[in-house]
Amino acid sequence: MAKRPRTPYAVLGVLSMGPQSGYGIKRTIEQSTAHFWSESYGQIYPVLHQLEAEGLARQKGAKRGGRAAKIYELTRAGRDALKAWLRRPVTPQPPRLELLLKIFFGRHDPAAVRAHLDRHRAQQADLNRRYREIERALLQDHAGHADLPYWLATLRYGQRLTSATLAWCDETVRALDEAPPAQQRSSTKENER
Amino acid sequence: MAKRPRTPYAVLGVLSMGPQSGYGIKRTIEQSTAHFWSESYGQIYPVLHQLEAEGLARQKGAKRGGRAAKIYELTRAGRDALKAWLRRPVTPQPPRLELLLKIFFGRHDPAAVRAHLDRHRAQQADLNRRYREIERALLQDHAGHADLPYWLATLRYGQRLTSATLAWCDETVRALDEAPPAQQRSSTKENER
DNA sequence: GCCTGCATGTAAACGGTTACATGATTCG
DNA sequence: CGAATCATGTAACCGTTTACATGCAGGC
């Protein structure tokens, strides 16, 4: 069971918001879904050709302003493919969180753990602030937009997660401060050497 | 700037808990870090050879019971490499969350969004329950273990995150129920056709 | 005799990022 | 004229997963 690519659907999705060039698709993704989805040109351009070959998108003409841009739009089949994907259940992918891996083995260097926690807290606080700004901008510029409730939902996800992470950082710093710092005997088997 | 592999450090880390075979390393990872880190045999065995070639791990002998197992242990250099990695700051990798991508484009099928939310909620509730069990087992079997505070920290991370996700699911279901369901005019440019 | 668990390993495919090559237009 | 921006595209590389091949030992 091979993992199948989701990039085509991301592209289809952006195209469903209106005709776009490959370059524009990249820009749109960067400006809207960046905190939970990103794509590179190395993916977008080949996928665009592939989508065209499959009849899911077609070239609509070119636009000027800088180099000539190929503008793509969804076909009927493309819209159907997007909707079919939208209904398909998501298979959860176990993440790989290097931070947690370092903390898991953190007993070898408690000071390093503390540094990771501090850095992570700062990063997440930053992210949280950025989310708040995005929220303000979204509410202001797109009030009444039919997509807004869905866009807001993804934003709230980020907010909930960063807030929880902040609380976790604080809790963990506290817990590790209180925990007996020196070496203790293992209550299980003695594996250390 | 190429992304450098972290698998060697995961292996080094497991080895720091005691000598292991490749098979055992896989089992250990599955039983302890599975919810934030996983490895496949296709990674572990080559990495073990590579680690040996670099002098970071060495074969300690073989064990019987089924097929003969090659037991590896850390060298002094291996322990140093692990500690150096432990201190290195984590570069945050933007995740790819298919769920959020589907919700972002969810206006095309509000019912599908609701289904995703329900499924996700159930999965996260399940995970949360599993975490609680793990916590009980950890507290019981490893009380006083020097690694325990760090292991618990990674567990709390999972608990905080699933709890936040649960709250987000509920909030989002509510918000989308209340939001005007029918099509509305866009307050920005009219991109729909 | 067969299944299960323990165990090692490799080849191929795959998704994805990075780096590079190229080129047109507009503006200071 | 040069820089920035808009724009398309590809080749190489990389980490990772999946599938497959192989084989020993113990218990039913």
Side-chain angles (χ1 to χ4, degrees), chain A residues 144-157:
Chain A
H145 194 294
D147 279 316
L148 183 61
Y150 299 96
W151 295 348
L152 276 179
T154 64
L155 185 65
R156 304 266 189 241
Y157 183 91

Side-chain angles (χ1 to χ4, degrees), chain A residues 68-108:
Chain A
K70 295 186 187 175
I71 307 297
Y72 290 85
E73 62 177 354
L74 281 192
T75 63
R76 179 67 200 219
R79 203 167 276 272
D80 290 346
L82 176 64
K83 283 188 182 173
W85 168 75
L86 234 32
R87 272 193 302 274
R88 226 135 56 213
V90 175
T91 32
Q93 321 261 155
R96 296 186 102 192
L97 304 173
E98 199 178 358
L99 176 74
L100 291 200
L101 195 59
K102 291 195 179 191
I103 288 176
F104 189 83
F105 298 120
R107 195 212 34 179
H108 296 298

Side-chain angles (χ1 to χ4, degrees), chain B residues 70-115:
Chain B
K70 296 185 185 175
I71 306 297
Y72 290 85
E73 63 177 354
L74 282 191
T75 63
R76 179 67 199 219
R79 202 165 277 270
D80 290 345
L82 175 64
K83 284 189 183 174
W85 167 76
L86 234 34
R87 273 192 302 274
R88 226 135 55 212
V90 175
T91 33
Q93 321 263 157
R96 293 185 107 197
L97 304 173
E98 199 178 359
L99 176 74
L100 290 201
L101 195 59
K102 292 196 179 191
I103 288 176
F104 188 82
F105 298 120
R107 197 213 33 179
H108 296 298
D109 194 339
V113 171
R114 177 59 192 265

Side-chain angles (χ1 to χ4, degrees), chain B:
Chain B
M1 209 190 328
K3 205 209 314 180
R4 47 170 134 35
R6 287 141 305 161
T7 297
Y9 300 105
V11 170
L12 251 21
V14 173
L15 251 23
S16 82
M17 306 192 303
Q20 279 274 32
S21 65
Y23 189 87
I25 289 168
K26 177 86 193 299
R27 209 202 308 101
T28 300
I29 288 175
E30 261 162 16
Q31 289 169 2
S32 60
T33 69
H35 58 284
F36 61 87
W37 200 267
S38 48
E39 295 290 349
S40 61
Y41 291 126
Q43 291 274 99
I44 291 174
Y45 286 116
V47 158
L48 238 20
H49 295 319
Q50 177 198 312
L51 252 26
E52 202 182 7
E54 290 167 0
L56 304 182
R58 83 171 83 89
Q59 279 185 58
K60 199 201 169 187
K63 227 164 221 167
R64 308 239 122 230
R67 187 178 168 178
K70 296 185 185 175
I71 306 297
Y72 290 85
E73 63 177 354
L74 282 191
T75 63
R76 179 67 199 219
R79 202 165 277 270
D80 290 345
L82 175 64
K83 284 189 183 174
W85 167 76
L86 234 34
R87 273 192 302 274
R88 226 135 55 212
V90 175
T91 33
Q93 321 263 157
R96 293 185 107 197
L97 304 173
E98 199 178 359
L99 176 74
L100 290 201
L101 195 59
K102 292 196 179 191
I103 288 176
F104 188 82
F105 298 120
R107 197 213 33 179
H108 296 298
D109 194 339
V113 171
R114 177 59 192 265
H116 286 305
L117 253 14
D118 289 345
R119 264 191 303 265
H120 194 62
R121 203 202 186 282
Q123 284 163 11
Q124 294 285 310
D126 230 65
L127 240 191
N128 205 340
R129 251 172 269 124
R130 204 141 65 235
Y131 287 150
R132 225 167 284 281
E133 281 168 38
I134 293 173
E135 186 182 359
R136 197 156 15 90
L138 225 45
L139 253 20
Q140 214 169 65
D141 302 345
H142 302 283
H145 194 293
D147 279 316
L148 183 62
Y150 300 95
W151 296 349
L152 275 179
T154 65
L155 185 65
R156 304 266 190 241
Y157 182 92
Q159 291 172 332
R160 291 265 188 194
L161 275 269
T162 49
S163 297
T165 303
L166 252 24
W168 171 77
C169 287
D170 294 337
E171 176 196 29
T172 303
V173 165
R174 236 181 303 119
L176 293 180
D177 269 352
E178 283 169 21
Q183 46 261 52
Q184 282 191 278
R185 252 182 307 115
S186 155
S187 70
T188 41
K189 260 182 296 193
E190 185 60 73
N191 281 328
E192 304 304 320
R193 45 155 294 109

